[in-house]
Amino acid sequence: MAKAIGMVEYATVSLGVTACDTMVKTAEVDIIEAQVVCPGKYIAIITGELSAVRAAVDSATARCPEKVVDTFVLGNPHQDIFPAIYGANEVENPKALGILETYSAASIIRAADNAAKTADVKLIELRIAKGMCGKSYLFLTGEVAAVEAAIDRAKQGESDSAMFLDSSVIANPDKKLWKNIL
């Protein structure tokens, strides 16, 4: 795993694809994911050394800043982020359930990184603006106090950027609900 990840989220597909091209031409970075998400936005997630990722994201953002929805650069992202993006994290003994929603794709990854680094929790899934009118959400699990601390920290981080939408902590979800989530 590289030392950093970054993302640009553009309001239009044409500028998003152009921004993605700009990023890989600006610095030595690799594309993890680049695609259209709801509602017709475009996201590009890259990885590489921290300085390269920062230069690439800055370059893409400067290209047409008025169409940028959100961005981030994370040095040393939590290891649960990538499997959670693909819904592939194995959860053997789920406990409390934390849910957090945001208005952008980039903000949910920032929130997940903050949550996972705050307390002993396991990220379950990150749904990145697919089929949700541009909103995103995360599911995580752990002991009740850990889940509450993780959700509070993630919520605080996204409240500062005005991207936070809603959150919940369920102390003891029913097995029928877990079956549906896992």
Side-chain angles (χ1 to χ4, degrees):
M1 169 72 57
K3 294 180 181 161
I5 62 171
M7 178 177 177
V8 294
E9 179 177 358
Y10 264 93
T12 67
V13 175
S14 60
L15 282 173
V17 173
T18 303
C20 187
D21 183 61
T22 298
M23 287 193 295
V24 295
K25 288 178 177 174
T26 297
E28 186 59 39
V29 295
D30 293 312
I31 300 170
I32 295 173
E33 190 168 321
Q35 65 179 326
V36 176
V37 294
C38 292
K41 298 187 297 184
Y42 194 86
I43 63 169
I45 305 172
I46 58 168
T47 187
E49 295 296 321
L50 181 58
S51 59
V53 170
R54 181 158 312 283
V57 168
D58 288 349
S59 178
T61 302
R63 196 160 173 88
C64 193
E66 68 276 3
K67 296 287 185 175
V68 173
V69 174
D70 203 356
T71 69
F72 72 78
V73 173
L74 295 175
N76 236 0
H78 194 275
Q79 73 269 4
D80 278 0
I81 295 244
F82 295 105
I85 288 172
Y86 300 107
N89 269 340
E90 297 284 325
V91 179
E92 294 180 18
N93 188 19
K95 295 177 175 48
L97 174 64
I99 308 126
L100 187 124
E101 293 178 77
T102 65
Y103 286 111
S104 74
S107 62
I108 203 63
I109 297 174
R110 281 192 312 262
D113 191 57
N114 277 331
K117 289 178 177 175
T118 296
D120 185 17
V121 295
K122 181 78 171 173
L123 296 176
I124 299 169
E125 180 182 6
L126 295 176
R127 179 65 57 98
I128 303 174
K130 295 176 187 162
M132 295 183 50
C133 297
K135 296 187 316 180
S136 298
Y137 69 84
L138 69 81
F139 287 148
L140 57 83
T141 188
E143 297 294 333
V144 175
V147 170
E148 287 174 342
I151 292 294
D152 284 346
R153 174 62 186 107
K155 182 168 49 173
Q156 176 187 3
E158 294 317 308
S159 292
D160 293 345
S161 70
M163 289 295 172
F164 171 73
L165 176 60
D166 200 9
S167 67
S168 295
V169 174
I170 303 171
N172 188 21
D174 190 275
K175 289 179 184 177
K176 292 175 189 173
L177 179 61
W178 276 124
K179 183 178 177 185
N180 186 58
I181 290 172
L182 300 174

Coordinates of all heavy atoms in Angstrom, one line a residue, residues 7 9 41 69-74 81 99-116 118 126 134-138 140 149-167:
M7 N -8.3 12.3 -3.5 CA -9.5 12.2 -4.4 C -10.0 13.6 -4.8 O -9.8 14.5 -4.0 CB -10.6 11.5 -3.6 CG -11.9 11.4 -4.3 SD -13.1 10.5 -3.2 CE -14.5 10.6 -4.2
E9 N -13.6 15.2 -6.6 CA -14.9 14.9 -6.9 C -15.4 16.1 -7.7 O -15.5 17.2 -7.1 CB -15.7 14.7 -5.6 CG -17.2 14.4 -5.8 CD -17.9 14.1 -4.5 OE1 -17.2 14.1 -3.4 OE2 -19.1 14.0 -4.5
K41 N -21.9 13.0 -11.2 CA -20.6 13.6 -10.7 C -19.5 12.6 -11.2 O -19.8 11.4 -11.6 CB -20.5 13.7 -9.2 CG -21.6 14.7 -8.7 CD -21.4 15.0 -7.2 CE -21.6 13.8 -6.4 NZ -21.5 14.1 -4.9
V69 N -16.6 19.5 -6.2 CA -17.5 19.3 -5.1 C -16.8 19.1 -3.8 O -17.1 19.7 -2.8 CB -18.4 18.0 -5.4 CG1 -19.3 17.7 -4.3 CG2 -19.2 18.2 -6.7
D70 N -15.7 18.3 -3.9 CA -15.0 18.0 -2.6 C -13.6 17.3 -3.0 O -13.5 16.8 -4.1 CB -15.8 17.1 -1.7 CG -15.4 17.2 -0.3 OD1 -14.4 17.9 0.1 OD2 -16.0 16.5 0.6
T71 N -12.7 17.4 -2.1 CA -11.4 16.7 -2.3 C -10.8 16.3 -1.0 O -11.3 16.7 0.1 CB -10.3 17.7 -3.0 OG1 -9.9 18.7 -2.0 CG2 -10.8 18.3 -4.3
F72 N -9.8 15.5 -1.0 CA -9.0 15.2 0.2 C -7.7 14.6 -0.2 O -7.5 14.1 -1.3 CB -9.8 14.2 1.1 CG -9.8 12.8 0.6 CD1 -8.7 11.9 0.7 CD2 -11.0 12.3 0.1 CE1 -8.8 10.6 0.3 CE2 -11.1 11.0 -0.4 CZ -10.0 10.1 -0.3
V73 N -6.8 14.7 0.7 CA -5.5 14.0 0.6 C -5.3 13.4 2.0 O -5.4 14.1 3.0 CB -4.3 14.9 0.3 CG1 -3.0 14.2 0.4 CG2 -4.5 15.5 -1.1
L74 N -5.1 12.1 2.1 CA -4.9 11.4 3.4 C -3.5 10.7 3.3 O -3.3 9.8 2.5 CB -5.9 10.3 3.6 CG -7.4 10.7 3.8 CD1 -8.3 9.5 3.9 CD2 -7.5 11.6 5.0
I81 N -10.0 1.0 4.9 CA -10.7 1.8 4.0 C -10.9 1.1 2.6 O -12.0 1.1 2.1 CB -9.9 3.1 3.7 CG1 -9.8 3.9 5.0 CG2 -10.4 3.9 2.5 CD1 -10.5 5.3 5.0
I99 N -23.5 4.2 12.0 CA -23.9 4.7 10.6 C -23.6 6.2 10.5 O -24.0 6.9 11.4 CB -25.4 4.4 10.3 CG1 -25.7 2.9 10.6 CG2 -25.7 4.7 8.8 CD1 -26.9 2.8 11.5
L100 N -23.0 6.6 9.4 CA -22.8 8.0 9.2 C -23.0 8.3 7.7 O -22.6 7.5 6.9 CB -21.4 8.4 9.6 CG -21.1 9.9 9.5 CD1 -20.6 10.4 10.9 CD2 -20.1 10.3 8.5
E101 N -23.8 9.4 7.5 CA -24.1 9.8 6.1 C -23.5 11.2 5.8 O -23.5 12.1 6.7 CB -25.6 9.9 5.9 CG -26.3 8.6 5.9 CD -27.8 8.9 5.8 OE1 -28.3 9.1 4.6 OE2 -28.5 8.9 6.8
T102 N -23.0 11.4 4.6 CA -22.5 12.7 4.2 C -23.0 13.1 2.8 O -23.6 12.2 2.1 CB -20.9 12.6 4.1 OG1 -20.5 11.7 3.0 CG2 -20.3 12.2 5.4
Y103 N -22.8 14.3 2.5 CA -23.3 14.8 1.2 C -22.4 14.6 0.0 O -22.8 14.9 -1.1 CB -23.6 16.4 1.3 CG -24.8 16.7 2.1 CD1 -24.7 17.3 3.4 CD2 -26.1 16.4 1.6 CE1 -25.8 17.6 4.1 CE2 -27.2 16.7 2.4 CZ -27.1 17.3 3.6 OH -28.2 17.7 4.3
S104 N -21.1 14.2 0.3 CA -20.2 14.0 -0.8 C -19.5 12.7 -0.7 O -19.5 12.0 0.3 CB -19.2 15.1 -0.9 OG -18.2 15.0 0.1
A105 N -18.9 12.3 -1.8 CA -18.1 11.0 -1.9 C -16.8 11.2 -1.1 O -16.4 10.3 -0.4 CB -17.9 10.7 -3.4
A106 N -16.1 12.3 -1.3 CA -14.9 12.5 -0.7 C -15.0 12.5 0.8 O -14.2 12.0 1.6 CB -14.2 13.8 -1.2
S107 N -16.1 13.2 1.3 CA -16.3 13.3 2.8 C -16.5 12.0 3.5 O -16.1 11.9 4.6 CB -17.4 14.3 3.1 OG -18.6 13.8 2.6
I108 N -17.0 11.0 2.8 CA -17.3 9.7 3.5 C -15.9 9.0 3.7 O -15.8 8.3 4.7 CB -18.3 8.9 2.8 CG1 -18.9 7.9 3.8 CG2 -17.7 8.1 1.6 CD1 -19.7 8.5 5.0
I109 N -15.0 9.2 2.8 CA -13.7 8.5 3.0 C -12.9 9.2 4.1 O -12.3 8.6 5.0 CB -12.9 8.5 1.7 CG1 -13.7 7.6 0.7 CG2 -11.5 7.9 1.9 CD1 -13.1 7.6 -0.7
R110 N -13.0 10.5 4.1 CA -12.3 11.3 5.2 C -12.9 10.8 6.6 O -12.2 10.6 7.6 CB -12.5 12.8 5.1 CG -11.6 13.5 4.1 CD -11.7 15.0 4.2 NE -13.1 15.5 4.3 CZ -13.7 16.0 3.2 NH1 -13.1 16.1 2.0 NH2 -14.9 16.5 3.4
A111 N -14.3 10.8 6.6 CA -15.0 10.4 7.9 C -14.6 9.0 8.3 O -14.4 8.7 9.5 CB -16.5 10.5 7.7
A112 N -14.5 8.1 7.3 CA -14.2 6.7 7.7 C -12.7 6.6 8.2 O -12.5 5.9 9.2 CB -14.3 5.8 6.4
D113 N -11.8 7.3 7.6 CA -10.5 7.4 8.1 C -10.4 7.9 9.5 O -9.7 7.3 10.4 CB -9.6 8.2 7.2 CG -8.1 8.0 7.5 OD1 -7.6 6.9 7.4 OD2 -7.4 9.0 7.7
N114 N -11.1 9.0 9.8 CA -11.1 9.6 11.1 C -11.7 8.6 12.1 O -11.2 8.4 13.2 CB -12.0 10.9 11.2 CG -11.2 12.1 10.7 OD1 -10.0 12.1 10.9 ND2 -11.9 13.0 10.2
A115 N -12.8 8.0 11.8 CA -13.5 7.0 12.7 C -12.6 5.8 13.0 O -12.4 5.5 14.2 CB -14.8 6.5 12.0
A116 N -12.0 5.2 12.0 CA -11.2 4.0 12.2 C -9.9 4.3 12.9 O -9.4 3.5 13.6 CB -10.8 3.4 10.8
T118 N -9.8 6.7 15.3 CA -10.2 7.2 16.6 C -10.3 6.1 17.7 O -10.0 6.3 18.8 CB -11.5 8.0 16.5 OG1 -11.2 9.1 15.7 CG2 -12.0 8.5 17.9
L126 N -18.3 1.2 2.9 CA -18.4 2.6 2.5 C -19.2 2.6 1.2 O -18.7 2.0 0.2 CB -17.0 3.2 2.2 CG -16.0 3.4 3.4 CD1 -14.7 3.9 2.9 CD2 -16.6 4.3 4.4
G134 N -25.9 11.2 -4.9 CA -24.6 11.9 -4.5 C -24.3 11.8 -3.0 O -23.2 12.1 -2.6
K135 N -25.2 11.3 -2.2 CA -24.9 11.1 -0.8 C -24.0 9.8 -0.6 O -24.0 9.0 -1.5 CB -26.2 11.0 0.1 CG -27.0 12.2 0.1 CD -28.2 12.1 1.0 CE -28.9 10.8 1.0 NZ -30.0 10.6 1.9
S136 N -23.4 9.7 0.5 CA -22.6 8.5 0.8 C -22.8 8.1 2.3 O -23.2 9.0 3.1 CB -21.1 8.9 0.6 OG -20.8 9.2 -0.7
Y137 N -22.5 6.9 2.6 CA -22.6 6.4 4.0 C -21.5 5.4 4.3 O -20.9 4.8 3.4 CB -24.0 5.9 4.3 CG -24.3 4.6 3.6 CD1 -23.9 3.4 4.2 CD2 -25.1 4.5 2.5 CE1 -24.3 2.1 3.6 CE2 -25.4 3.3 1.9 CZ -25.0 2.1 2.5 OH -25.3 0.9 1.9
L138 N -21.4 5.2 5.6 CA -20.5 4.2 6.1 C -21.2 3.4 7.2 O -22.0 3.9 7.9 CB -19.1 4.8 6.6 CG -19.1 5.6 7.9 CD1 -19.1 4.8 9.2 CD2 -17.8 6.5 7.8
L140 N -20.0 0.8 10.4 CA -18.8 0.3 11.2 C -19.4 -0.4 12.4 O -20.5 -0.2 12.8 CB -17.8 1.4 11.6 CG -18.3 2.6 12.3 CD1 -18.3 2.3 13.8 CD2 -17.3 3.7 12.1
A149 N -17.5 6.9 20.0 CA -16.4 7.8 19.9 C -16.0 7.9 18.4 O -15.7 9.0 18.0 CB -15.2 7.2 20.7
A150 N -16.0 6.8 17.6 CA -15.6 6.9 16.2 C -16.6 7.7 15.4 O -16.2 8.6 14.6 CB -15.5 5.5 15.7
I151 N -17.9 7.5 15.7 CA -18.9 8.3 15.0 C -18.9 9.8 15.4 O -18.9 10.7 14.5 CB -20.3 7.7 15.2 CG1 -20.5 6.3 14.5 CG2 -21.4 8.7 14.7 CD1 -20.4 6.3 13.0
D152 N -18.7 10.0 16.6 CA -18.6 11.4 17.1 C -17.4 12.2 16.4 O -17.5 13.3 16.0 CB -18.4 11.5 18.6 CG -19.7 11.3 19.3 OD1 -20.8 11.3 18.7 OD2 -19.7 11.1 20.6
R153 N -16.2 11.5 16.3 CA -15.1 12.1 15.7 C -15.3 12.3 14.2 O -15.0 13.4 13.7 CB -13.8 11.2 15.9 CG -12.6 11.7 15.2 CD -12.2 13.1 15.7 NE -11.1 13.6 14.9 CZ -11.2 14.6 14.0 NH1 -12.3 15.2 13.8 NH2 -10.2 14.9 13.3
A154 N -15.8 11.3 13.5 CA -16.1 11.5 12.1 C -17.1 12.6 11.9 O -17.0 13.4 10.9 CB -16.6 10.1 11.5
K155 N -18.2 12.6 12.7 CA -19.2 13.7 12.6 C -18.6 15.1 12.8 O -18.9 16.0 12.0 CB -20.3 13.4 13.6 CG -21.4 14.4 13.5 CD -22.6 14.0 14.3 CE -22.4 13.6 15.7 NZ -23.6 13.4 16.5
Q156 N -17.7 15.2 13.8 CA -17.1 16.5 14.0 C -16.2 16.9 12.8 O -16.3 18.1 12.4 CB -16.2 16.4 15.3 CG -15.4 17.6 15.6 CD -14.4 17.4 16.7 OE1 -14.2 16.3 17.2 NE2 -13.7 18.4 17.0
G157 N -15.5 16.0 12.3 CA -14.7 16.4 11.1 C -15.5 16.8 9.9 O -15.1 17.7 9.2
E158 N -16.6 16.2 9.7 CA -17.4 16.5 8.5 C -18.3 17.7 8.8 O -18.8 18.4 7.9 CB -18.1 15.3 7.9 CG -17.1 14.3 7.4 CD -16.0 14.9 6.5 OE1 -16.3 15.7 5.6 OE2 -14.9 14.6 6.8
S159 N -18.7 18.0 10.0 CA -19.5 19.1 10.4 C -18.7 20.4 10.0 O -19.3 21.4 9.6 CB -19.8 19.1 11.8 OG -20.7 18.1 12.1
D160 N -17.4 20.4 10.2 CA -16.5 21.5 9.9 C -16.6 21.9 8.4 O -16.5 23.0 8.0 CB -15.1 21.3 10.3 CG -14.9 21.2 11.8 OD1 -15.9 21.6 12.6 OD2 -13.9 20.7 12.3
S161 N -16.8 20.8 7.5 CA -16.8 21.1 6.1 C -18.2 21.2 5.6 O -18.4 21.3 4.4 CB -16.1 19.9 5.4 OG -16.8 18.7 5.5
A162 N -19.2 21.1 6.4 CA -20.6 21.2 6.1 C -21.1 20.0 5.2 O -22.1 20.1 4.5 CB -20.9 22.5 5.4
M163 N -20.3 18.9 5.2 CA -20.7 17.8 4.4 C -21.5 16.7 5.3 O -22.0 15.7 4.7 CB -19.5 17.1 3.8 CG -18.9 17.9 2.7 SD -20.1 18.1 1.3 CE -19.3 19.3 0.3
F164 N -21.5 16.9 6.6 CA -22.2 15.9 7.5 C -23.7 16.0 7.2 O -24.3 17.1 7.2 CB -21.9 16.2 8.9 CG -22.7 15.4 9.9 CD1 -22.5 14.0 10.0 CD2 -23.7 16.0 10.6 CE1 -23.2 13.3 10.9 CE2 -24.5 15.2 11.5 CZ -24.3 13.9 11.6
L165 N -24.4 14.8 7.2 CA -25.8 14.8 7.0 C -26.5 14.2 8.2 O -27.3 14.8 8.8 CB -26.2 13.9 5.7 CG -27.6 13.7 5.5 CD1 -28.4 15.0 5.3 CD2 -27.8 12.8 4.3
D166 N -26.1 13.0 8.6 CA -26.8 12.3 9.7 C -25.9 11.2 10.3 O -25.0 10.7 9.5 CB -28.2 11.8 9.3 CG -29.1 11.5 10.4 OD1 -28.8 11.9 11.6 OD2 -30.2 11.0 10.2
S167 N -26.2 10.7 11.5 CA -25.6 9.5 12.0 C -26.4 8.8 13.1 O -27.3 9.5 13.6 CB -24.2 9.9 12.6 OG -24.4 10.7 13.8

